[in-house]
Amino acid sequence: MELGKILLSTILVNNYIFARFLGICPFFGVSSKMETSIGMGAAVTFVVTISSIITYFIQMLLDKFSIGYLQTIVFILVIAALVQFVEVAMKKISPTLYNALGVYLPLITTNCVVLGVAILNIQEKYTLIQTTVNAIGASLGFTLALVLMAGIREKLVIADVPEALEGFPIALVSAGLMSIAFLGFSGLI
Amino acid sequence: MKLSEILKNGIIKNNPIFVQLIGMCSVLAVTTSVQNSLAMGLAVTAVLVGSNFVISLLKNVIPDDIRIPAFVVVIATFVTVIEMFMKAYAQPIYQSLGIFLPLIVVNCIILARAEAFAFTNGLVPSIVDGIGTGLGYTVAVLILGTIREVFGAGTFLGIQVISNPIGILVMPAGAFIVLGILVALFKIIMARQEAN
Amino acid sequence: MNKTLKLGITLLIISSVAAGILGFSNKATSGKIAEIELKNTQDALAGIFGEFETYEETDAAELEKLRSTDENLVAVYKIIDGGETAGYSVTTTSNGFGGAIEIMVGINSDGEVLGARVLKHSETAGIGSKAADPTFTDLFTGQSASEELQVETISGATITSTAVIKGVNNARLVYQEVAAN
């Protein structure tokens, strides 16, 4: 598949939130404010891209020793270690960036987008370049969903919503409506 | 705390899906059919019971500083073992759960129970907590799965029951909307019960 | 430093035990998994070609060459009956709405499509999955593999049916290549 198509597909058509249901927890967790969603989006983009590239090489090693069954356990440990490392490195290199993104980093280990993208890259047999493009597309799609949702939720706070639907339920229903809107992109590829 | 209370807490009062709202990814993704929901529910329950058991057993051995990576290793081991056995003995279900089977590793429910319960409690209560939380998850996905399959695809366990289903319910959008309404309903029921 | 070392060693021990358990269960299940995958392939081939003597799987080096025709190619089987090549079965994937759709296409040595089957898919149940049904894929049966195979897409399942049609046609191109050799 051409790179542009992968990018378009992961951002709009097969959006990781609205079509693949990966990364739902942070999606609802931090999408109540615009500022935090941009921060989370940036942190996820950073980690997903790096971890996809690293896991690509790790998979080569696993295949070489034919221990593919260790994939899940090795990937999650690598991601956890990577997140820790990024946190420490960011603190030293760019304290400003750390102050902006630092709080989101620990949350990323259990964000299924990271492990999900890593495993899907392998399943789809992507090359290194396709892997990178897919990772960037996935996280941009995640960020887009997060930011759009934050825009809606900031308005929802002042809306007159039935008591039982307040908070999480109405956010879910809104996400459902957005998912229908994203269906419109499916003709693109 | 009595064991029956731990069990009840997991299923109703602290239901991971309807009350705590964690571990949503798999819930939304696999509930397109009753069969998938049941399989996912059982897989999650098995991992929960297993990881709670092992973590409670090792709670004096695992140092506090590295407890999270240690939990992750234990959970990932159980997930992979279950994945292998499903692949060998229940291939069609393994295929339809797809990537969400390995993703049980990052399901916040399991890590949350390990951290909040198993690491500080005894063996038997931890196992019961695993069963309770697992059942709570299973009941929730089964309700969602039944509604989506019956009204969305018009079938129940693959058998035709409705002739003109509402297709949108089995699509991703339907998952969000049905779950949203269910959470709201659960909130109303719980509030009523408390008032009584 | 001493403490870090101790923590590292503890984690290492836990991980090694975990790896050991995984290695053990891999050993316990890998035979069964291989057996099931073999049976799935045989059943799929029998579903298309009916009864036949035996089949040969095209080796990895040859597949790699054929991937210049179809980059998603998964496997090619040569069907042998009565000591002669009865046809070829080509397995490939095509991207649908929910990810890759795996399709097996059987074409006999006269270039007639004997059948197409969707082996694996994750399309939306009740909607896209209609295009994975034999009622749809049977429409390819009987067509000639020497020209583009044409089938009407299913309305409401356009993406999936388009993907299936594309996959079947890619398989056809691979067939032309292997049959020419």
Side-chain angles (χ1 to χ4, degrees):
Chain A
M1 214 186 339
E2 312 94 67
L3 299 180
K5 219 166 160 188
I6 294 182
L7 202 60
L8 203 62
S9 151
T10 44
I11 297 179
L12 296 176
V13 185
N14 284 319
N15 186 288
Y16 273 74
I17 299 277
F18 295 129
R20 296 205 196 215
F21 301 119
L22 291 174
I24 301 290
C25 293
F27 173 62
F28 286 113
V30 301
S31 67
S32 48
K33 279 208 195 82
M34 187 64 90
E35 202 183 312
T36 50
S37 14
I38 294 173
M40 185 66 172
V44 165
T45 309
F46 197 65
V47 172
V48 167
T49 312
I50 300 178
S51 72
S52 289
I53 296 171
I54 295 180
T55 49
Y56 176 83
F57 289 109
I58 288 178
Q59 182 67 29
M60 280 166 79
L61 276 180
L62 291 180
D63 284 342
K64 200 175 163 201
F65 296 106
S66 53
I67 42 172
Y69 58 86
L70 290 180
Q71 193 195 49
T72 315
I73 199 166
V74 172
F75 278 17
I76 189 68
L77 280 177
V78 167
I79 291 167
L82 179 75
V83 170
Q84 201 93 67
F85 174 78
V86 168
E87 201 178 341
V88 175
M90 212 184 251
K91 214 177 197 168
K92 282 222 171 100
I93 299 165
S94 167
T96 2
L97 199 61
Y98 177 76
N99 284 334
L101 304 182
V103 281
Y104 308 108
L105 284 172
L107 290 172
I108 288 180
T109 311
T110 52
N111 182 344
C112 23
V113 166
V114 189
L115 186 61
V117 172
I119 296 178
L120 279 174
N121 284 334
I122 310 293
Q123 270 183 9
E124 302 277 333
K125 300 194 181 69
Y126 283 151
T127 61
L128 183 57
I129 298 168
Q130 287 174 325
T131 295
T132 318
V133 172
N134 187 46
I136 294 172
S139 28
L140 286 182
F142 175 80
T143 313
L144 178 71
L146 217 59
V147 170
L148 287 177
M149 192 66 191
I152 294 180
R153 286 182 77 177
E154 281 184 351
K155 294 268 186 302
L156 274 178
V157 176
I158 46 168
D160 189 17
V161 176
E163 202 192 315
L165 281 169
E166 262 172 30
F168 201 80
I170 194 70
L172 271 167
V173 174
S174 318
L177 296 177
M178 284 174 76
S179 172
I180 297 179
F182 268 70
L183 269 182
F185 291 119
S186 59
L188 273 178
I189 51 161
Chain B
M1 204 168 12
K2 283 208 310 256
L3 292 182
S4 60
E5 204 164 308
I6 298 177
L7 199 64
K8 209 177 121 198
N9 260 347
I11 302 176
I12 301 168
K13 216 175 133 206
N14 279 323
N15 187 294
I17 309 301
F18 293 144
V19 180
Q20 299 190 65
L21 307 161
I22 52 176
M24 308 299 270
C25 301
S26 59
V27 173
L28 293 164
V30 303
T31 52
T32 48
S33 74
V34 177
Q35 192 194 340
N36 280 357
S37 310
L38 187 63
M40 191 66 182
L42 294 180
V44 168
T45 309
V47 175
L48 257 170
V49 173
S51 81
N52 264 9
F53 170 76
V54 172
I55 284 160
S56 163
L57 202 67
L58 296 178
K59 64 174 180 286
N60 297 324
V61 186
I62 301 173
D64 239 24
D65 296 325
I66 54 158
R67 64 180 194 285
I68 301 292
F71 294 167
V72 170
V73 171
V74 171
I75 296 168
T77 310
F78 274 105
V79 170
T80 314
V81 169
I82 287 176
E83 210 184 328
M84 287 172 185
F85 278 90
M86 271 205 168
K87 203 172 177 183
Y89 298 100
Q91 179 108 150
I93 296 174
Y94 168 82
Q95 298 287 4
S96 58
L97 292 182
I99 189 173
F100 288 94
L101 209 47
L103 284 184
I104 295 178
V105 175
V106 281
N107 190 321
C108 335
I109 297 174
I110 296 157
L111 201 59
R113 290 332 287 169
E115 167 87 5
F117 200 96
F119 199 57
T120 47
N121 280 287
L123 210 52
V124 178
S126 295
I127 294 175
V128 175
D129 178 72
I131 298 174
T133 312
L135 282 181
Y137 177 90
T138 310
V139 168
V141 286
L142 268 182
I143 296 177
L144 199 56
T146 310
I147 294 177
R148 289 183 69 197
E149 189 185 338
V150 171
F151 296 104
T155 57
F156 182 76
L157 285 169
I159 304 156
Q160 184 91 25
V161 283
I162 289 181
S163 56
N164 273 321
I166 316 159
I168 192 82
L169 291 185
V170 281
M171 305 190 73
F176 285 113
I177 295 172
V178 174
L179 183 62
I181 294 168
L182 282 179
V183 172
L185 280 179
F186 203 79
K187 238 161 107 182
I188 295 174
I189 295 169
M190 291 302 275
R192 288 254 166 94
Q193 280 215 323
E194 223 141 272
N196 283 344
Chain C
M1 201 58 217
N2 207 352
K3 198 185 163 205
T4 321
L5 196 69
K6 203 177 143 207
L7 292 181
I9 291 172
T10 319
L11 199 55
L12 193 70
I13 294 172
I14 296 173
S15 307
S16 327
V17 173
I21 294 172
L22 289 181
F24 180 75
S25 38
N26 181 55
K27 231 181 184 164
T29 53
S30 60
K32 180 81 188 163
I33 292 170
E35 194 182 296
I36 284 193
E37 272 164 7
L38 184 69
K39 193 176 174 298
N40 285 346
T41 310
Q42 285 170 344
D43 285 352
L45 288 175
I48 294 175
F49 289 93
E51 262 182 54
F52 56 86
E53 212 168 289
T54 180
Y55 67 90
E56 273 172 22
E57 188 172 355
T58 306
D59 60 33
E62 185 63 29
L63 278 184
E64 202 45 59
K65 265 191 248 163
L66 289 169
R67 287 213 173 93
S68 58
T69 307
D70 174 18
E71 55 173 356
N72 296 323
L73 187 65
V74 178
V76 177
Y77 300 100
K78 183 181 183 177
I79 310 296
I80 298 163
D81 199 31
E84 285 173 35
T85 305
Y88 290 92
S89 152
V90 180
T91 311
T92 184
T93 64
S94 177
N95 272 315
F97 185 71
I101 304 172
E102 199 173 305
I103 308 159
M104 180 187 259
V105 182
I107 302 173
N108 71 11
S109 43
D110 298 330
E112 184 194 339
V113 177
L114 288 182
R117 288 279 174 279
V118 171
L119 302 181
K120 286 176 201 165
H121 74 93
S122 37
E123 300 303 290
T124 319
I127 301 171
S129 69
K130 280 186 209 152
D133 243 34
T135 40
F136 176 71
T137 52
D138 278 348
L139 297 175
F140 293 101
T141 311
Q143 297 195 32
S144 163
S146 54
E147 51 202 89
E148 174 135 349
L149 304 169
Q150 282 172 342
V151 162
E152 290 264 323
T153 55
I154 300 178
S155 68
T158 322
I159 298 171
T160 312
S161 24
T162 311
V164 171
I165 295 170
K166 190 179 152 215
V168 172
N169 273 300
N170 282 341
R172 177 186 70 94
L173 295 175
V174 172
Y175 163 80
Q176 283 184 328
E177 192 140 326
V178 285
N181 290 333

